[in-house]
Amino acid sequence: MYIRDTIAAVSTPPGNGGIGIIRVSGDLAAAVGNTIFKPVSDGGLVSHRFSFGTVFDMSTRAVVDEAMAVFMRAPRSYTREDVLEIHCHGGWLVVERVLALVLSCGVRLADPGEFTRRAFLNGRIDLIQAEAVMDIIASKSESALQLAQRQREGTLSKRINDIRICLLRALALVEAYIDFPDDDLGETDSASILASVGEARSIIADLLCTFEDGRVMRDGISVLIVGKPNAGKSSLLNCLLNENRAIVTHIPGTTRDIIEETVTFDGLSVRLLDTAGIRHTDDFVEQEGITRALAKIPQADLILAVFDASKEFSREDQLILDALSGHKAIAVLNKTDLQQRFVLPCEGRFVALVHITALSGDGIDRLKQTVCKQFLHTAATDSREFVALSRARHRDALVSAEQNLQQFAGGLPDRNLELLALDLRDALQSVGSVTGQTATDEVLDLIFSSFCIGK
Amino acid sequence: MMTYDQIYDVIVVGAGHAGCEAALAAARMGCRTMLLTINLDAIALMSCNPSIGGLAKGHLVKEIDALGGEMAKNIDATGIQFRILNTKKGPAVRASRAQADKQLYRLRMKRVLEQQQGLDLKQGEVTSLYLEGEELRGVELRSGIRYLSKTIVITTGTFMRGLIHIGLNHYPGGRAGDQPSVGLSDQMRSLGFGVGRLKTGTPARLDARSIDFSKLETQYGDDPPLPFSLSTSRIVMPQIPCHIAYTNQRSHDIIRSGLDRSPLYSGIIEGVGPRYCPSIEDKVVRFPDKDRHQTFIEPEGLDTIEVYPSGMSTSLPIDIQIAFYRSIVGLECVEIMRPAYAIEYDYVDPIQLHSSLETKAIANLYHAGQINGTSGYEEAAGQGLVAGINAALRVKGRDPLVLTRSQAYIGVMIDDLVTLGTQEPYRMFTSRAEYRLLLREDNADLRLRDIGYELGLVPEAEFALFSEKRNAIARELERIADTRLIHSAEQIEVLSRRGLTDIQKGTTLEHLLKRSDISYSDLAELDAVSRETSAEIREQVEIQTKYRGYIDRQLEQVEQSKKLESTHIPANLDYTSIKSLTTEVREKLAKNRPDTLGQASRIPGITPAAISILSIALKSSSWKGLAE
């Protein structure tokens, strides 16, 4: 896409609201403002000042709405282009009419995310921040929003930049020893080089550790409920949802396909998947449901294995235990209000064991907490300094940098400095790709500021 | 003004290291060439350090040699100490360096020029370019004569409006003892060129008889000395050592006591000096914690008592100079023969050049050397060679020679200069090359000999030798890939003596050579044929085999960047009409006018995002018309 035209879109959510905002970005923004908006006070629109006035249809001279408008002259705007915002009443018809007027001035309807893309292309925000804005808009949970806000503020960008600075420092040392052999720099200071690289690697390691949390905060988790028929899986689902979504009967095998619902536990988005009960059956349809349930196990972040505590451990329970092996699961013992007959063998296979009574809701809060505790290991997720990787792109770049750095550290001091420099340069390239930065003269600048060069 | 009755193909203005290569290349390519200099006794004079080569500079010299230039042959014939630097830091950062006998160096180059067919040598000061309308036609001299030429190469070094500083005294000069060139840079300015001011400096020359060498460390060259040029079979000059001395706290105190009379710190010098070659007062001020600075006492020749203390350049007043040099252990009674000085001179920002070194503003005009803001004999010679070649190619109506960044340090240098311009004297460093592993001294011929031959700069017989070497390398690479260990009694004995008991029967020699603990000389013990291989073939086979993984990685990166490098930007592209570029980026691009997207991507402040916008703009159909 090649962009240099002026774009516009409604920036408030669709439907009726208190106010509706139409945003225009591009060279025509000022002209659009002067054409369709008439301020009450004289002198027209002043950059970065809100004006009160009326939006009118220039062909009929009819007033469309009374509105507030603000014009932001480039580059001091969201996109670094000229931007006009018209704040009118929020009824969808009014908003649509104002937008139509804007578009009739030779303006194109913006593509999704195009304002942010322009902000990035025009250099106002880096790649991480651009991605964060997309995430803010797409956030479905409190935690996702929080994470995206931190990234937009630049906390992650700052950490990435810290890594770059460490690597640049190390590279400057290596290059100085290569390029100035007669300059009395002393022996290769491997300790300082390794210290800088070590610092970079430890930041990378810390960041990589946050990826699981970051991904969980951004995308939420999927929790699969399994159990033998009539263990209470659907009751549990309803309990967790606080509604009667799944059909609960006393007839085993009622749930034949997978039921999916999204809820929020303590700010964390959780996708719940209820499955067919697992047992040996001749019913073709039910068997298909069981196959699907088993197939879902490896894809889930967590499995809630529901057992009927009022019954003895059965052959079907064993089937479930076998299917779970190697996966993260919580044992949920249901029907604890009845007489207890159940003994769970090899309890160590589960990350936790929780007693509940799905029918009354007893133990459900404890279960929710236990689920959350399995994720979000980083304690201070709500602090302002909290940083987490949440995109695979960032993680992959850092993983590849770490591979180069591992090779580098393993090679010092025996391998040729020159080849080591190659590893460092590649690592810098990967790290720079996260924020979209490249290193050119920075290394030489560092050499000359830290060494007395000049034979 | 008299107009000389002959029209030259190429006139080269200035006979320093750039001018000599330019003139020789043009004449050797069959062009009627004239070399003009202010002083015929100062041809190829080493105005500063009496040495050639060093890191990245040695690389440049070998490239010049591979292309058919003269510098390498000249230093081989007149060098009095040869050393290979960085022997243990990797194959591509190994570099050759040599001390020269300064007078012999100059005299030999003059002789080569004098013997070159089709080349006229003349003394005179060029005061202006002669243009008819916008067309360049020749040069005019202070003596009142006008020479006509189809192309002109300007290599004025530090001479344009040269101003020499010693303490608070200053006087016009192109170099100590020579007149400056006045008028030419004013004309350049009036023709619309951006002309700036740079500064450089040189240490005092000292009387060796007044130095107590027994108090200094001695540094000998390599034995045997290895030549730079492919054409030199061995070094015949006598070899002599350098000596190492150090400044001390007292030296630094003396320097500090003279700072109030330093033209550098009192603001008299406006020109920007090189950060990598600071004066001693700069070092003391910027690195106050360093308790000593090293200097190599380099001989200026076999038959002279003059020596050069490297790294000790200064523009401090003469009384401070005397006290300072005498504060160094071993130099307590030293006599200064020529004082140290700083020199300011005009340069023409190289951003105004095409990659061929032709100016964008005036066709058929080429700039090379310090006029482009570089420093160093080797940098100058590399540019001079390219400018001379391209002037000759223009006369012949052929496309210019543009070396790429993956092909040669000369390519990296010229691309840096014309893409980024320079605000301080530019010196080559290996760290400037992103494909460093490909640009080795040892493979300069493999990279560039073909080009030199096609241009007519490499004689038939020398090219035949090179072709044979290239074939031998290919044959040997193939042979070691196909030759397997048979575990003969002899081989088993060698392997066990070397403690290499893990090596299987049937392993190829190539596989063995890839190991870090096995060199080609080890192969020679295991395999009779390898014993017969010559040293230069061994070196290539060993490097190409051992570092293949890394080399392939770099070749892949070269391949990836080809798309950007080969996307041309029309010279008349109107950047102001690409609205989605920021104003800052638009201004930078409009100023630099990069020839390719690759060049654009290397301009500081041009983000990857800007490059993608530009790339889209170039592809977009609405731009097609503009490009035509």
Side-chain angles (χ1 to χ4, degrees):
Chain A
M1 48 89 242
Y2 173 55
I3 44 160
R4 55 178 177 147
D5 50 356
T6 302
I7 53 171
V10 178
S11 294
T12 36
N16 291 327
I19 52 169
I21 301 175
I22 294 93
R23 180 148 66 176
V24 186
S25 178
D27 284 353
L28 291 179
V32 170
N34 291 328
T35 312
I36 68 165
F37 182 77
K38 190 175 184 323
V40 176
S41 55
D42 295 336
L45 289 166
V46 180
S47 185
H48 294 86
R49 282 265 175 82
F50 251 113
S51 311
F52 175 70
T54 50
V55 176
F56 64 97
D57 185 334
M58 52 279 188
S59 55
T60 62
R61 314 299 303 168
V63 171
V64 176
D65 193 12
E66 68 175 356
M68 304 280 286
V70 59
F71 174 69
M72 287 161 277
R73 172 76 70 197
R76 284 176 56 219
S77 73
Y78 181 71
T79 56
R80 279 209 177 160
E81 300 171 340
D82 287 351
V83 165
L84 174 74
E85 281 181 12
I86 300 170
H87 299 225
C88 59
H89 289 109
W92 67 269
L93 190 61
V94 180
V95 172
E96 285 297 312
R97 279 193 65 191
V98 175
L99 179 65
L101 279 178
V102 169
L103 296 180
S104 70
C105 298
V107 173
R108 170 172 68 78
L109 192 63
D111 294 330
E114 197 171 355
F115 289 100
T116 301
R117 195 160 63 215
R118 288 187 173 199
F120 166 66
L121 288 174
N122 291 332
R124 199 183 73 86
I125 52 176
D126 69 20
L127 218 45
I128 292 180
Q129 291 171 315
E131 288 165 339
V133 173
M134 307 291 177
D135 285 349
I136 288 173
I137 295 164
S139 290
K140 286 191 215 72
S141 69
E142 189 62 32
S143 68
L145 180 63
Q146 212 169 60
L147 179 66
Q149 289 288 12
R150 295 287 171 271
Q151 294 188 351
R152 186 195 52 75
E153 286 161 12
T155 49
L156 180 58
S157 308
K158 192 187 158 299
R159 297 300 281 161
I160 297 287
N161 208 38
D162 290 345
I163 301 173
R164 280 187 85 243
I165 290 166
C166 291
L167 295 183
L168 281 171
R169 225 188 298 138
L171 185 60
L173 278 167
V174 170
E175 296 289 355
Y177 290 117
I178 288 177
D179 263 335
F180 304 97
D182 273 351
D183 269 85
D184 194 25
L185 304 181
E187 281 300 296
T188 308
D189 185 359
S190 304
S192 296
I193 296 173
L194 277 178
S196 286
V197 170
E199 203 181 325
R201 290 181 73 190
S202 90
I203 302 176
I204 291 177
D206 287 351
L207 281 179
L208 286 176
C209 282
T210 66
F211 178 67
E212 238 350 85
D213 281 0
R215 187 187 64 83
V216 162
M217 287 174 80
R218 177 169 175 259
D219 301 338
I221 54 169
S222 61
V223 172
L224 187 70
I225 305 174
V226 296
K228 66 181 178 185
N230 218 9
K233 299 180 294 298
S234 300
S235 310
L236 174 61
L237 175 70
N238 287 339
C239 249
L240 292 171
L241 293 176
N242 292 326
E243 62 177 292
N244 280 336
R245 170 65 172 80
I247 303 159
V248 183
T249 66
H250 294 288
I251 308 158
T254 314
T255 306
R256 298 196 165 190
D257 201 350
I258 292 166
I259 292 174
E260 196 178 315
E261 283 293 338
T262 300
V263 289
T264 309
F265 290 178
D266 200 14
L268 181 70
S269 168
V270 179
R271 205 153 52 90
L272 290 169
L273 297 121
D274 183 20
T275 63
I278 293 177
R279 63 168 172 177
H280 294 290
T281 174
D282 296 331
D283 181 335
F284 176 74
V285 178
E286 192 185 348
Q287 183 55 49
E288 178 60 25
I290 292 170
T291 309
R292 286 189 194 182
L294 292 174
K296 281 276 174 194
I297 287 178
Q299 294 164 28
D301 292 310
L302 179 70
I303 293 139
L304 297 183
V306 186
F307 300 102
D308 186 340
S310 65
K311 304 234 167 67
E312 285 185 23
F313 185 80
S314 65
R315 208 161 58 91
E316 284 144 347
D317 290 325
Q318 183 61 46
L319 258 179
I320 291 161
L321 276 189
D322 294 344
L324 290 182
S325 107
H327 300 287
K328 193 192 248 185
I330 294 177
V332 182
L333 271 53
N334 191 18
K335 308 186 190 176
T336 41
D337 52 332
L338 303 177
Q339 200 191 343
Q340 303 295 290
R341 294 201 181 84
F342 187 81
V343 180
L344 182 62
C346 55
E347 198 185 314
R349 205 179 270 186
F350 294 91
V351 295
L353 189 147
V354 182
H355 295 270
I356 60 159
T357 305
L359 277 180
S360 65
D362 268 4
I364 290 296
D365 283 342
R366 201 166 53 247
L367 177 60
K368 285 182 180 179
Q369 285 162 16
T370 310
V371 168
C372 286
K373 255 200 334 232
Q374 304 310 314
F375 302 91
L376 304 188
H377 309 95
T378 323
T381 48
D382 53 351
S383 91
R384 288 197 73 82
E385 281 75 42
F386 175 73
V387 180
L389 289 180
S390 57
R391 283 182 182 252
R393 188 180 76 78
H394 304 163
R395 185 205 46 193
D396 294 348
L398 291 185
V399 164
S400 130
E402 168 56 17
Q403 281 165 357
N404 289 128
L405 294 178
Q406 202 177 343
Q407 263 197 52
F408 175 89
L412 208 73
D414 299 328
R415 236 164 79 240
N416 290 330
L417 270 186
E418 174 186 356
L419 302 182
L420 294 170
L422 217 56
D423 289 329
L424 265 187
R425 286 183 185 201
D426 286 353
L428 255 174
Q429 191 76 34
S430 296
V431 173
S433 75
V434 175
T435 46
Q437 273 169 304
T438 50
T440 41
D441 269 356
E442 287 169 273
V443 174
L444 282 175
D445 287 345
L446 260 175
I447 291 178
F448 298 133
S449 60
S450 31
F451 287 112
C452 182
I453 299 289
K455 188 177 102 62
Chain B
M1 176 100 15
M2 170 205 171
T3 300
Y4 194 64
D5 61 357
Q6 184 171 344
I7 299 177
Y8 285 89
D9 291 327
V10 180
I11 287 181
V12 178
V13 180
H17 306 279
C20 290
E21 295 291 352
L24 283 171
R28 286 168 178 168
M29 287 171 71
C31 288
R32 189 89 191 85
T33 307
M34 174 162 64
L35 179 58
L36 269 167
T37 168
I38 277 185
N39 182 355
L40 276 172
D41 294 325
I43 285 176
L45 188 63
M46 303 178 130
S47 313
C48 196
N49 56 322
S51 72
I52 295 286
L55 256 286
K57 289 165 169 276
H59 294 73
L60 286 170
V61 178
K62 298 233 168 185
E63 290 175 0
I64 291 166
D65 186 57
L67 286 167
E70 195 60 31
M71 182 171 250
K73 291 175 186 159
N74 216 54
I75 182 64
D76 285 347
T78 59
I80 51 179
Q81 188 202 75
F82 289 77
R83 279 202 303 144
I84 308 284
L85 310 176
N86 273 354
T87 49
K88 295 198 173 64
K89 290 178 191 163
V93 299
R94 253 172 243 159
S96 311
R97 186 176 188 282
Q99 297 296 139
D101 183 308
K102 181 168 161 177
Q103 301 304 329
L104 294 182
Y105 188 92
R106 142 182 104 75
L107 289 169
R108 183 194 176 275
M109 187 63 90
K110 184 165 186 242
R111 196 164 60 243
V112 171
L113 292 165
E114 285 169 352
Q115 289 169 358
Q116 178 60 47
Q117 262 197 349
L119 176 60
D120 290 348
L121 284 175
K122 291 188 193 295
Q123 180 164 305
E125 183 195 344
V126 171
T127 49
S128 63
L129 301 170
Y130 170 58
L131 291 101
E132 283 176 6
E134 289 188 352
E135 209 168 316
L136 181 71
R137 299 299 300 274
V139 289
E140 292 176 348
L141 275 63
R142 194 169 296 286
S143 58
I145 193 164
R146 175 186 294 149
Y147 292 113
L148 300 181
S149 181
K150 294 175 189 159
T151 61
I152 290 166
V153 182
I154 308 275
T155 66
T156 46
T158 59
F159 276 61
M160 285 198 304
R161 287 212 309 133
L163 187 63
I164 290 174
H165 297 265
I166 300 177
L168 301 178
N169 298 328
H170 47 85
Y171 57 93
R175 160 175 62 219
D178 277 314
Q179 289 302 307
S181 149
V182 180
L184 191 54
S185 58
D186 292 333
Q187 189 199 15
M188 296 247 172
R189 237 180 240 110
S190 69
L191 287 170
F193 282 104
V195 177
R197 203 115 170 102
L198 292 176
K199 170 244 155 189
T200 189
T202 192
R205 303 305 190 273
L206 307 175
D207 184 336
R209 295 172 304 177
S210 61
I211 294 174
D212 182 354
F213 287 100
S214 68
K215 290 184 180 165
L216 308 183
E217 292 169 34
T218 308
Q219 189 196 45
Y220 293 95
D222 296 341
D223 189 20
L226 294 175
F228 280 85
S229 174
L230 298 159
S231 319
T232 309
S233 46
R234 87 193 167 88
I235 302 296
V236 294
M237 288 287 284
Q239 300 293 295
I240 58 174
C242 293
H243 293 85
I244 300 171
Y246 297 96
T247 63
N248 51 50
Q249 283 303 340
R250 199 164 66 80
S251 325
H252 303 173
D253 290 342
I254 293 168
I255 285 178
R256 283 187 203 103
S257 76
L259 288 179
D260 56 335
R261 286 182 293 143
S262 149
L264 204 58
Y265 289 96
S266 56
I268 294 176
I269 291 182
E270 305 157 12
V272 183
R275 283 177 300 171
Y276 49 82
C277 192
S279 61
I280 184 65
E281 54 266 34
D282 234 1
K283 293 183 187 181
V284 168
V285 169
R286 285 185 50 219
F287 297 92
D289 296 338
K290 210 163 151 65
D291 51 14
R292 65 173 200 180
H293 296 277
Q294 175 185 260
T295 172
F296 286 80
I297 308 288
E298 304 176 10
E300 291 234 312
L302 294 172
D303 291 329
T304 177
I305 53 164
E306 278 192 83
V307 293
Y308 172 99
S310 75
M312 297 290 126
S313 80
T314 177
S315 54
L316 289 168
I318 191 71
D319 55 305
I320 298 289
Q321 290 192 21
I322 295 172
F324 157 66
Y325 286 118
R326 287 185 179 169
S327 71
I328 296 171
V329 174
L331 276 62
E332 292 86 352
C333 305
V334 80
E335 290 294 338
I336 290 179
M337 294 177 72
R338 308 183 200 218
Y341 63 90
I343 182 164
E344 284 185 284
Y345 55 97
D346 282 349
Y347 80 108
V348 181
D349 195 340
I351 215 161
Q352 304 163 93
L353 302 176
H354 291 294
S355 300
S356 61
L357 295 179
E358 185 181 21
T359 67
K360 290 174 179 170
I362 299 181
N364 304 324
L365 179 65
Y366 298 80
H367 288 178
Q370 270 169 309
I371 190 177
N372 287 341
T374 61
S375 89
Y377 312 142
E378 305 81 357
E379 286 84 348
Q383 294 167 64
L385 180 63
V386 170
I389 288 171
N390 282 330
L393 290 172
R394 167 61 50 80
V395 170
K396 292 163 183 283
R398 287 173 56 191
D399 285 339
L401 169 71
V402 176
L403 298 171
T404 64
R405 299 183 73 90
S406 56
Q407 215 169 14
Y409 273 95
I410 298 176
V412 174
M413 169 174 65
I414 293 177
D415 184 64
D416 279 350
L417 291 172
V418 305
T419 309
L420 312 175
T422 189
Q423 277 70 52
E424 70 172 328
Y426 176 99
R427 192 191 123 175
M428 199 67 232
F429 300 109
T430 69
S431 50
R432 294 196 196 268
E434 52 274 65
Y435 311 119
R436 180 160 61 193
L437 197 54
L438 305 181
L439 306 182
R440 307 186 304 272
E441 272 198 1
D442 66 77
N443 69 353
D445 55 346
L446 293 167
R447 291 185 275 126
L448 301 169
R449 206 63 165 156
D450 281 329
I451 296 173
Y453 176 66
E454 268 164 45
L455 290 167
L457 293 173
V458 176
E460 204 69 51
E462 287 191 12
F463 187 69
L465 279 178
F466 163 71
S467 294
E468 177 40 43
K469 175 187 167 185
R470 180 162 53 188
N471 291 338
I473 294 165
R475 278 197 308 271
E476 178 62 6
L477 282 170
E478 210 170 296
R479 189 189 73 82
I480 62 165
D482 291 341
T483 307
R484 294 170 186 279
L485 286 185
I486 52 167
H487 275 34
S488 65
E490 191 191 0
Q491 284 180 344
I492 288 171
E493 192 273 321
V494 172
L495 290 176
S496 67
R497 177 156 45 82
R498 292 290 316 275
L500 300 165
T501 47
D502 57 328
I503 291 172
Q504 305 283 318
K505 185 174 170 179
T507 306
T508 63
L509 296 184
E510 179 190 32
H511 202 81
L512 280 178
L513 194 53
K514 283 198 167 163
R515 293 173 57 123
S516 59
D517 54 353
I518 290 185
S519 67
Y520 195 97
S521 50
D522 296 321
L523 291 195
E525 280 198 67
L526 290 163
D527 165 58
V529 184
S530 300
R531 250 161 264 169
E532 308 300 317
T533 312
S534 73
E536 58 173 10
I537 306 296
R538 284 184 182 200
E539 182 188 35
Q540 274 314 307
V541 169
E542 181 155 5
I543 291 173
Q544 289 188 27
T545 306
K546 273 208 187 318
Y547 304 105
R548 185 167 303 155
Y550 286 96
I551 291 171
D552 287 349
R553 204 158 105 192
Q554 294 229 301
L555 285 173
E556 207 173 290
Q557 290 166 357
V558 173
E559 206 49 48
Q560 281 166 7
S561 70
K562 275 227 170 100
K563 219 178 129 212
L564 278 186
E565 298 300 336
S566 62
T567 307
H568 286 274
I569 302 175
N572 56 353
L573 181 61
D574 179 14
Y575 291 102
T576 55
S577 65
I578 306 177
K579 296 293 186 213
S580 37
L581 293 172
T582 61
T583 316
E584 187 197 346
V585 166
R586 262 183 265 159
E587 278 169 4
K588 277 189 174 150
L589 290 170
K591 181 174 173 237
N592 289 43
R593 301 223 141 264
D595 290 336
T596 63
L597 269 187
Q599 275 190 2
S601 72
R602 288 186 286 277
I603 298 170
I606 305 295
T607 58
I611 290 299
S612 44
I613 293 173
L614 198 52
S615 150
I616 292 158
L618 289 172
K619 269 180 237 150
S620 141
S621 58
S622 59
W623 294 99
K624 291 260 166 65
L626 237 176
E628 272 154 16

